Amino acid sequence: MLMLLGYLMVLTFMVLIMTKRMSALVALTVVPIVFGLLAGHGADLGAMAVDGISKLAPTATLLLFAVLYFAVMIDAGLFDPLVGRVLKFAGDDPVRVSLGTAILALVVALDGDGATTALITVTAFLPVYRRLGMNPLVLAVNLGSASCVMNLTPWGGPMGRAAAALHIDPSDIFVPLLPTWAAGIAGTLLIAWHLGRRERGRIAVEGTEVHGAGGPILFDRDETLRRPGLFYFNLALTLAILGAAISGIVPLPLVFMIGLSIALLVNYPKVSQQGERIQAHAENGLPIVLLILAAGSFTGVMQGTGMIDAMADGAVTLIPPELGPHIGVVTAFLAMPLTFVLSNDAFYFGVVPVIAETASHYQVAPEVIARASLLALPIHGLSPLIAAIYLLAGLIGKDVGEMQRFGLKWAFLLSLILIAAATLTGVIL
């Protein structure tokens, strides 16, 4: 019963937001309450929701301060030279713009932080997309593909969860996956090239119609806010923040809290100026934070009612015994729907250990299951249960449902490329 309710809850949520019957914020709040009541819970739903919210509070804090930090950097003109170079490189060719998006995202995503990757890539490229009349959903696909492929690195969040859940060394998972990782990078660039060619053809026919409203980086900037004399300071500060984020010496929320404070003090030393900058960009950060916290409530209720565990157990029982020796490949395909409807923690700490235990009866090593579980990351990148998708939707000015409808087929294709490469190299057999 709980398994059925769980899948119905996720399905109901998806239908409501993809058909635009409800906003994501309202659906994330209302749907779990309704299904929690149907599951027989009452007053305890509040505690479940608060528990889920508390787990995502650091993420919400990180994204709020990161959005404000990069907005201040844009005010000060830090990214103006980069945008100029990108414009010069891309010219009027959507193919080069699309490929450039993917390449930049692949490089920036090495830090393992999806929020930073999204902010930097969108900041650099969205003005170019709007200038050429390119669909920003192409940017979203390129960014999402690159970020998900780079999450296969040992310091990526999913890799860390898989290794921790099965008590194995991340390098034992990653090193055999190197050819698969390379195939994922190639697949990302191939998709970017194809989308760029498609955009080139569309623009030639339709012209340079602008698709969608601007996100946080497209505010009307007062040129008096630019600080060209502080360019190198701001660049050094940004690199230091990224270095601290990569090294992990300071918690990420605190990194951007400190960074924002320094940026405001140096670029806009007057208290009145600092208040104006925060107020000017608060409306861009607040909706993102609200959605993240609402998502915490959603996952908290799913976890607290036991729906997630029931969904995981039910999914595992669908594997026929005769497929046991090939459970690595089965896991890779099973991960596609599961990582879309389950959170990372639910999947890696709930489902993957059960599959690994089952696999051990067929002499399949846990490292094989760990690798297989990571190959559906491109599809997970479009899950409504992760914070990054709401951040990206806000940045490019599109609905989450639009992003999912446009991007799922490309995410599915990239996942198939990863699975094919892992199968051919034998790392999930």
Side-chain angles (χ1 to χ4, degrees):
M1 180 63 178
L2 276 178
M3 180 185 71
L4 178 61
L5 280 175
Y7 280 112
L8 282 175
M9 184 171 90
V10 174
L11 179 63
T12 300
F13 171 77
M14 291 299 303
V15 169
L16 287 173
I17 66 168
M18 293 185 75
T19 59
K20 299 185 179 181
R21 299 295 179 87
M22 285 187 182
S23 68
L25 174 63
V26 173
L28 284 168
T29 304
V30 173
V31 171
I33 293 175
V34 172
F35 278 86
L37 292 172
L38 291 175
H41 293 268
D44 57 338
L45 288 175
M48 297 176 192
V50 170
D51 181 58
I53 291 170
S54 65
K55 290 179 180 177
L56 283 186
T59 301
T61 303
L62 163 64
L63 293 182
L64 175 61
F65 281 91
V67 166
L68 291 175
Y69 175 80
F70 283 105
V72 168
M73 288 294 101
I74 295 159
D75 279 338
L78 174 63
F79 296 101
D80 289 356
L82 177 59
V83 172
R85 291 183 181 182
V86 170
L87 283 169
K88 184 177 180 181
F89 165 78
D92 294 323
D93 186 4
V95 175
R96 296 176 71 180
V97 172
S98 184
L99 281 170
T101 306
I103 292 169
L104 177 63
L106 285 166
V107 174
V108 177
L110 278 169
D111 70 355
D113 178 35
T116 301
T117 303
L119 287 165
I120 292 176
T121 306
V122 175
T123 295
F125 276 95
L126 189 55
V128 184
Y129 275 70
R130 291 181 62 78
R131 172 181 176 270
L132 299 179
M134 293 178 65
N135 189 344
L137 291 174
V138 171
L139 188 158
V141 169
N142 291 331
L143 171 60
S145 299
S147 297
C148 291
V149 167
M150 298 310 288
N151 258 329
L152 289 172
T153 56
W155 54 88
M159 175 73 78
R161 286 177 172 86
L166 301 182
H167 306 284
I168 51 184
D169 193 311
S171 62
D172 293 335
I173 306 173
F174 176 69
V175 173
L177 273 179
L178 278 170
T180 302
W181 186 46
I185 292 173
T188 297
L189 295 175
L190 181 62
I191 290 171
W193 173 80
H194 173 76
L195 291 175
R197 282 179 56 85
R198 196 168 74 170
E199 280 296 283
R200 178 197 283 168
R202 182 191 62 77
I203 291 171
V205 174
E206 300 177 9
T208 57
E209 178 184 355
V210 176
H211 290 257
I217 73 165
L218 294 178
F219 52 83
D220 293 327
R221 185 178 64 190
D222 183 350
E223 290 300 314
T224 62
L225 297 173
R226 296 181 71 249
R227 300 292 186 266
L230 293 171
F231 172 78
Y232 289 106
F233 172 83
N234 287 329
L235 178 61
L237 176 61
T238 301
L239 292 175
I241 287 174
L242 294 178
I246 295 170
S247 65
I249 57 176
V250 180
L252 274 176
L254 185 58
V255 168
F256 280 98
M257 289 174 71
I258 295 172
L260 176 62
S261 299
I262 295 173
L264 287 172
L265 281 171
V266 175
N267 289 277
Y268 308 104
K270 294 182 180 179
V271 174
S272 59
Q273 290 177 316
Q274 295 169 11
E276 289 170 359
R277 290 303 87 221
I278 293 174
Q279 185 175 358
H281 304 300
E283 63 179 329
N284 298 317
L286 183 59
I288 297 170
V289 171
L290 291 177
L291 285 171
I292 292 170
L293 295 178
S297 173
F298 188 94
T299 55
V301 170
M302 286 188 72
Q303 185 70 58
T305 57
M307 291 182 191
I308 284 182
D309 292 336
M311 292 164 69
D313 292 342
V316 171
T317 61
L318 297 177
I319 303 175
E322 58 270 18
L323 291 180
H326 310 288
I327 197 169
V329 177
V330 172
T331 299
F333 282 99
L334 188 61
M336 288 183 174
L338 289 183
T339 57
F340 188 77
V341 301
L342 300 178
S343 67
N344 265 336
D345 289 339
F347 179 65
Y348 289 106
F349 295 117
V351 179
V352 172
V354 178
I355 298 177
E357 179 61 29
T358 305
S360 67
H361 297 290
Y362 299 96
Q363 287 74 52
V364 176
E367 290 83 359
V368 170
I369 302 303
R371 293 175 205 131
S373 70
L374 294 165
L375 302 181
L377 281 177
I379 292 177
H380 176 70
L382 287 169
S383 169
L385 303 181
I386 63 172
I389 192 172
Y390 300 106
L391 170 65
L392 183 54
L395 288 172
I396 67 171
K398 290 289 185 178
D399 294 333
V400 170
E402 288 181 275
M403 288 175 50
Q404 290 169 330
R405 287 193 298 271
F406 185 87
L408 269 174
K409 58 181 173 293
W410 304 112
F412 182 73
L413 174 61
L414 186 56
S415 292
L416 288 180
I417 291 173
L418 291 172
I419 293 172
T423 303
L424 289 173
T425 54
V427 297
I428 59 171
L429 297 176

